[in-house]
Amino acid sequence: MHAVRWKKVFRDLASHRFRTVLVVLSIATGIFAVGVVMGGRAILLREFDSEFAASVPLNADFYTMPFSDPIVRRAREYPGVAEAMGRHSASLRYRWAGADAPRTLSLVAIKDYDDVTVQRIVPETVRSWPPKRGEIVLERAALQVGKYEIGDTLEVETRTGEKKILTVSGFAHDINAVPAQFVGSETGYVSFESLPDIGEAKSYNELLVAMTGTSLTQREASLLAENIKRDVLEENGITVLGVYVPKPGSHFLGDIFKAVSLLLLALGLLSLLLSGFLVVNTVSALMAQQIKQVGIMKAIGGRASQVTWMYLGMVAIYGVLAVLVGVPASAWAGQQFIEFAAGVLNFRVSSYVPPDWVTTLEVGVGLVVPLLAAIVPIRLGTRTSVVKALTQTGVDSAAFGHGLVDRVLGLLRGLPRPVALSLRNTFLRKGRLLLTLTTLSLASAVVMSVFSVQASINQTTDDLEDWWRYEAQVRYERQTDQAGTERIIKGTPGVTEVESWVGTTVTLDRPDGTTAEGLNLIGTPYDTTFIHPTMLAGRWLQVGDEDAVVVNTDARKSEPSLDLGQRVTVEVAGEKRVLRVVGVVKGQFGGSALYMNREALTVLLPESGITQTLIKMSFTDTASQRRALDEIETRLDDANYRVVSTRTTAQFREQIASELGILVAFLVIMAVLLAAVGVIGLTGTMTINVIESTREIGVMRAIGAQHGSIYQIFITEGLAVGFMAWLIGAAAAYPMSYGLVSLLSGAIGLPLSYHFSLTGVGSWLGIIAAISVLASVAPAFRASQVSVRDAIAYE
Amino acid sequence: MSQIATPGSSDGALLRLRSVFKVYDTGETPFTALKGIDLDVHTGEFVGIIGKSGSGKTTLINMITGIDHPTSGEIVIDGTPVHDLGENDLARWRGRTIGVVFQFFQLLPTLTVRENILLPMDFCHMWAPRERVDRAMDLLEQVELADQANKLPAALSGGQQQRAAIARALANDPPILAADEPTGNLDSKTADAVFGLFERLVEHHKTIIMVTHDNDMANRVRRALHVSDGEIIEERVHRPRAGA
Ligand SMILES: Nc1ncnc2c1ncn2[C@@H]1O[C@H](COP(=O)(O)OP(=O)(O)O)[C@@H](O)[C@H]1O
Ligand SMILES: [Mg+2]
């Protein structure tokens, strides 16, 4: 390696520091993007999966009337059951100094925190664990919603309307608890001893069961759950209020995870492609610059293969340097990314070390991709005949210079001389231009698509707004007197109109013989003005409908038998009823729902009374709406109506936006990365153009060109490329964003409303113009420093 | 005694060209730059090629060095049919047989003067690596540049750069040196020194073919070929001046 030709390679690297940095950065950007994205994805899935598996997720969750330890023991011994445990759960309203309105607490009480066998809970920062009497440990996702601190007090309202104090004594993590920011209620853990203090019985009312078998199907899990319900609970006189059987092995955020991981995969592949382009581009430019030296070396006895190896060696060195920069950088950024993801998706990370294959991939991207990308340009350079190499000034310019471009440019006579010259330069380096343009266009397309995805998400929430024609809603613990509650609510200042609905949970008989528990059946007036359903198929409810139901897309997705025209059997309040699906409406992020005429549903229920009240208000600002709703809750409380939750429509919209916001955040990360790749690519191209035009610049300086006009030339060139990339990118963004939105819709299981963001297209034009100018300034500065002497020395 | 080279009497010629044609493909009408060149050069000759700009001098010398291929005709140098060689064999052959000197010196800018001279030896695997440095220094002494060995080309004057380029052309001890206007970019005093260097090399049995448009130089070579419009139209032979 101490042969002279290798000395030349090292000297070239050292003496063209700017170029070396540029090429190394281009490759490192590829490594970085691939490393962050693929590594991030791998760590995300690995950490999430391992924590999820270690948590012993439940396969069936039974909500029941009180029971005690012998039942748990029986459940544990039941064939097919791996673990079973009982706990007490309750949903209570509470006030906290950090929030101006009452919030909902999903309370969990466990007898022995050292023996949690299903859905494990991990204490994180706790003053005492397990929680002592009078204390509560919050699930840490609460911190995403408010600034809870150890020592804060929560004023809990008991079932009998009394106010009791619980003191926050720490934070724990439960990967299976639905994070507070998604449901609008915080999960908290208390000891069994605290239960009587807050008006709850010291008994179990929830049975959690984990089943044996690693590849359990949903059907098997449902069947076993039904048997346990019958043999363990009902046989022993325990009434079961509801059963929840999740898809075995899947987390409730699984869909979001799938979407995020798909996005990351797409981004990873895209960055791989882009970094390949960047390398081809810079290496082609390098060869163009070195072509004369290649000719000289061949003239003094160098064989094409020897010269090829020299340049491959050079690229390999670039690769090694890029790996040294890119791998640690991506490890660092990957950790930031995972920390962010672990926060919003609420999981714990035990190791930030990416799997070996990711590191291998990064090294491959750093070494193999550049070499593969470089082979063609290097071979083209070293195969050029000696005469051509010695007489050539630029790439292909001779063949291209007198062609179409000059003729077209000749027509544009009005252009100022420097502008015409730079346009000509732009088109002359067509090969490089094509690659830079491809890179930048792709980046532009992705960025504009991201704008459109964001716009689509906004559109979706706007469409929700269109569905909801009310400002707030109140839900009651049980069926409640319609006239009484409506009178109180109507009497509250700001309320203009109210409507009462009744809801119940029903069990659906599936065609395969299993049942689906806990579907929401909602009775609404057929002529309601409080919602404006988005019909996807069939029709809405009509007067006189008795057995007709309209289902939403969530219900149809989880229970495919609920499709238009189908007759389905459901068990309502212990009686089997056959219902007819007459319409499908778009889901509202509120889960599965079946709608039927309120009067028809009331007939099927043993008790009379309503379960929720929808409220229209004259207030348009959310603060006043919230205050009015609090006043309503206080008045209902005073009249002894038991409220389980209240929410303003605006508040719910926020919640949904925050859930979808995760996707947007990931998309933004994606866009920023790609834009960075684009900037580096453009800077590289501009620099190489300057180097190649050294002679022209010298001549221009010799005939009196000022710094200003040289800046103008290169910045115009940069802008021309940026503008073309914007144009192509905008055209590509339409199909791309449409695809992306359908992909996301599929992944999260909800139809997003597509909206192409013209604002995004406009903003990107501004941004890319700024980027183009920035990318051209450094090269233009170099150009302005070229002296006439340098230019001539370049021959 | 006169040494007029006549076609046919080429036995023992180091370099032999027969009906060499070169046609450039320039878009619509092909351009014939060499129109059937016949030429013999013997070992130890110092041949000058003169002619107006555009007459085909560079094209001709590029045929000889194998830097470019003839469209038709034969070129045999030291027994090797150059016109038949592929790029790779040509490069190796050229490295050992012909030293090329360019008008613009063409030293590699990031290598020192000495390293520039080592490069052809490296490419052609000539000499044992440890001998190479000694040899490079010898060559630099011959061209009186030993004290500049570790400088980069940019730090040298034009004349010094051209002398370094000549030393590089001699690196593999080729029998033939081909130079295309080697003094074209030098002032007359430096040009003189470079010319003197060539004369000394001829004394040491090198064969030199040099393109020049300097008539004064042309008068000082032993044999001058006048090229016009792609043909050798005149040939002058001088007796050695110092009455050798
Ligand atoms: N690559 C080429 N393509 C087309 N024509 C060429 C090429 N190289 C040289 N020529 C033409 O061939 C003729 C001879 O050129 P050249 O050998 O360079 O002349 P000289 O060296 O005597 O000035 C000139 O008319 C020139 O324009
Ligand atoms: Mg010439």
Side-chain angles (χ1 to χ4, degrees), chain A residues 120-348:
Chain A
R120 296 222 162 94
I121 302 153
V122 186
E124 285 210 326
T125 39
V126 285
R127 200 167 58 188
S128 53
W129 182 258
K132 296 193 184 109
R133 185 172 168 183
E135 289 181 347
I136 183 165
V137 170
L138 291 174
E139 207 294 318
R140 70 167 196 188
L143 296 169
Q144 301 274 334
V145 174
K147 288 195 171 62
Y148 292 87
E149 279 175 22
I150 292 178
D152 281 0
T153 53
L154 309 185
E155 190 191 68
V156 176
E157 191 185 323
T158 68
R159 281 176 207 257
T160 52
E162 285 176 83
K163 310 272 197 266
K164 298 287 175 158
I165 298 292
L166 287 173
T167 308
V168 176
S169 73
F171 300 92
H173 179 229
D174 175 1
I175 193 171
N176 293 294
V178 184
Q181 69 266 34
F182 298 141
V183 281
S185 76
E186 286 71 58
T187 302
Y189 305 95
V190 297
S191 74
F192 244 54
E193 281 57 53
S194 300
L195 285 175
D197 303 340
I198 49 176
E200 296 288 316
K202 264 177 90 172
S203 59
Y204 304 130
N205 61 5
E206 186 185 0
L207 178 69
L208 284 60
V209 170
M211 300 174 184
T212 54
T214 43
S215 53
L216 206 63
T217 64
Q218 171 100 55
R219 189 182 140 83
E220 288 163 348
S222 297
L223 284 172
L224 185 53
E226 268 168 53
N227 292 341
I228 295 169
K229 176 185 173 194
R230 188 187 59 234
D231 300 344
V232 177
L233 297 163
E234 289 172 347
E235 285 277 291
N236 292 294
I238 313 292
T239 307
V240 176
L241 304 171
V243 187
Y244 168 61
V245 181
K247 192 161 159 271
S250 81
H251 186 263
F252 60 89
L253 280 178
D255 286 344
I256 295 269
F257 259 87
K258 225 176 1 182
V260 166
S261 122
L262 249 165
L263 279 180
L264 291 179
L265 194 64
L267 170 60
L269 295 176
L270 215 55
S271 16
L272 198 63
L273 194 71
L274 286 188
S275 83
F277 279 161
L278 275 189
V279 175
V280 173
N281 210 354
T282 37
V283 173
S284 316
L286 174 77
M287 288 318 287
Q289 226 183 304
Q290 291 264 317
I291 194 75
K292 188 162 259 163
Q293 297 198 29
V294 169
I296 297 166
M297 287 190 283
K298 286 172 73 177
I300 62 170
R303 268 170 289 145
S305 58
Q306 290 174 319
V307 182
T308 302
W309 279 113
M310 287 171 69
Y311 287 98
L312 284 178
M314 194 174 214
V315 172
I317 295 168
Y318 285 138
V320 169
L321 292 176
V323 165
L324 292 179
V325 175
V327 170
S330 75
W332 177 84
Q335 177 160 352
Q336 307 302 306
F337 169 75
I338 292 296
E339 272 170 15
F340 162 76
V344 294
L345 300 173
N346 200 30
F347 64 96
R348 285 161 64 87

Side-chain angles (χ1 to χ4, degrees), chain A residues 31 75 112 117 126 132 184 278 289 301 306 311 327 356 428 472 477 495 503 530 553 572 583:
Chain A
I31 298 175
D112 183 359
T117 53
V126 285
K132 296 193 184 109
L278 275 189
Q289 226 183 304
Q306 290 174 319
Y311 287 98
V327 170
D356 286 344
L428 284 186
E477 198 176 71
V495 174
F530 282 66
T553 44
V572 187

